[in-house]
Amino acid sequence: MNNNVEVFIGCESNYEDSNVVLFGAPFDGTTSYRPGTRFGSKAIRSESFGIETYSPYQDKDLEDYKIFDYGDLELCFGNTERVLKDIEEQADTIFNDEKIPGMIGGEHLVTLGAVRAAVKKYPDLNIIHFDAHTDLREEYLGETLSHATVMRRIHDIVGDNKIHQFGIRSGERKEFYWAKEHTNLNKFNFNGLEEAVRLLQGKPVYFTIDLDVLDPSEFCGTGTPEAGGVSFTELLNAIIEVGKLNIVGFDMVELSPIYDQSGASTAIACKILRELLLSIQ
């Protein structure tokens, strides 16, 4: 893979030398409310130079690690399965080269493509999912592939009790009832995360963060804002806790920068990605 011209701050290593490979998935073709997440990955790269590579929270610096930023995939709008296949193939390449793929969305459905690749290499894969929404619908307006169904489709792959959900505060009643039998769903906050981390020690984990887990008073730049979310500090501490696990792949999705004219949401997303990258080192 060739070096990318515009990269996330501190992610300038060569592909061959890196253990983590970032790539963007600028797709929002199934967005159910307000589109715009296709612009998230580019905005995050551009604005990342407004922060430092050093994290005072973790006393770590991105410059001390080998991370390659591939850039954005060219994805075909209008063909959702082809988009997922392109993402899966990109993640396959990274997994086969014994590296950790890190994806920047894009809407949440893009996670399905990366998980399809992950389970081929790690059949016992578990998922940690931070989100405001259950994403457990069987279908949305007749479509089984949607950002509202992504966790249900992932359950089709990994099975019962492999999806660990936190911060959830929105969804249909039947989704919450279904989750009681099939996932480990924790409403509203990160209570129970430390226990989940204890139980998942040594197991391969894919970590997906939907940024609307944050309260919209702090993070309004998303297509489906949901009141009652967590704070930046709560999310930061939760990310550091999850970083204790064997994270084999991760993503951060659902920044829609056009809904925050101040740019604060993009700045928050940049900082979260920095902390996420450092937490898994």
Side-chain angles (χ1 to χ4, degrees), residues 24-267:
F27 178 74
D28 58 6
T30 78
T31 299
S32 58
Y33 185 36
R34 302 187 302 183
T37 56
R38 72 182 72 180
F39 305 113
S41 53
K42 180 175 176 57
I44 287 169
R45 284 196 190 88
S46 297
E47 296 301 316
S48 68
F49 291 88
I51 64 171
E52 307 292 343
T53 57
Y54 174 71
S55 165
Y57 306 100
Q58 301 188 64
D59 190 22
K60 294 180 180 179
D61 197 308
L62 288 173
E63 292 184 346
D64 295 333
Y65 302 98
K66 300 294 186 181
I67 304 170
F68 174 80
D69 186 348
Y70 172 85
D72 284 351
L73 300 180
E74 291 189 49
L75 299 175
C76 175
F77 284 86
N79 188 332
T80 301
E81 269 292 8
R82 181 175 169 185
V83 166
L84 293 172
K85 183 64 176 175
D86 288 347
I87 293 169
E88 180 181 353
E89 289 176 353
Q90 175 77 356
D92 274 335
T93 298
I94 297 167
F95 280 124
N96 290 337
D97 289 337
E98 304 298 327
K99 303 177 188 297
I100 298 172
M103 182 168 56
I104 312 170
E107 61 159 83
H108 212 161
L109 183 63
V110 298
T111 301
L112 178 60
V115 170
R116 285 175 174 174
V119 294
K120 285 183 278 186
K121 188 170 183 66
Y122 303 100
D124 190 32
L125 188 71
N126 280 261
I127 311 294
I128 289 189
H129 170 216
F130 291 176
D131 204 327
H133 305 91
T134 53
D135 291 349
L136 290 172
R137 298 187 190 215
E138 177 57 36
E139 53 82 24
Y140 182 75
L141 298 178
E143 290 292 333
T144 58
L145 293 176
S146 167
H147 75 155
T149 70
V150 60
M151 286 301 139
R152 187 67 170 264
R153 297 290 77 82
I154 288 174
H155 174 270
D156 293 343
I157 299 171
V158 301
D160 283 349
N161 299 314
K162 293 292 188 68
I163 301 174
H164 309 268
Q165 302 178 275
F166 295 89
I168 311 298
R169 56 191 186 275
S170 178
E172 292 185 319
R173 176 168 55 184
K174 61 184 178 182
E175 292 180 79
F176 282 95
Y177 285 14
W178 189 88
K180 291 180 180 178
E181 303 295 328
H182 301 285
T183 77
N184 299 308
L185 187 150
N186 299 266
K187 292 186 287 187
F188 311 130
N189 51 44
F190 297 118
N191 290 347
L193 181 60
E194 289 186 4
E195 177 63 12
V197 168
R198 186 185 69 80
L199 293 173
L200 292 174
Q201 286 296 325
K203 297 180 179 180
V205 173
Y206 187 96
F207 185 19
T208 177
I209 301 175
D210 185 327
L211 290 165
D212 66 26
V213 72
L214 289 161
D215 191 80
S217 64
E218 293 194 31
F219 188 88
C220 63
T222 187
T224 50
E226 190 70 39
V230 302
S231 69
F232 169 79
T233 302
E234 290 171 323
L235 177 55
L236 169 63
N237 291 334
I239 288 170
I240 293 172
E241 183 68 20
V242 174
K244 298 174 182 178
L245 293 171
N246 176 27
I247 304 299
V248 301
F250 63 90
D251 64 58
M252 186 183 75
V253 299
E254 296 285 357
L255 168 68
S256 193
I258 62 175
Y259 300 119
D260 176 15
Q261 295 304 309
S262 74
S265 294
T266 302

Side-chain angles (χ1 to χ4, degrees), residues 8 44 104 250 252 269-277:
F8 187 79
I44 287 169
I104 312 170
F250 63 90
M252 186 183 75
C270 291
K271 202 165 184 179
I272 290 170
L273 182 55
R274 181 190 71 189
E275 299 304 321
L276 176 56
L277 286 165

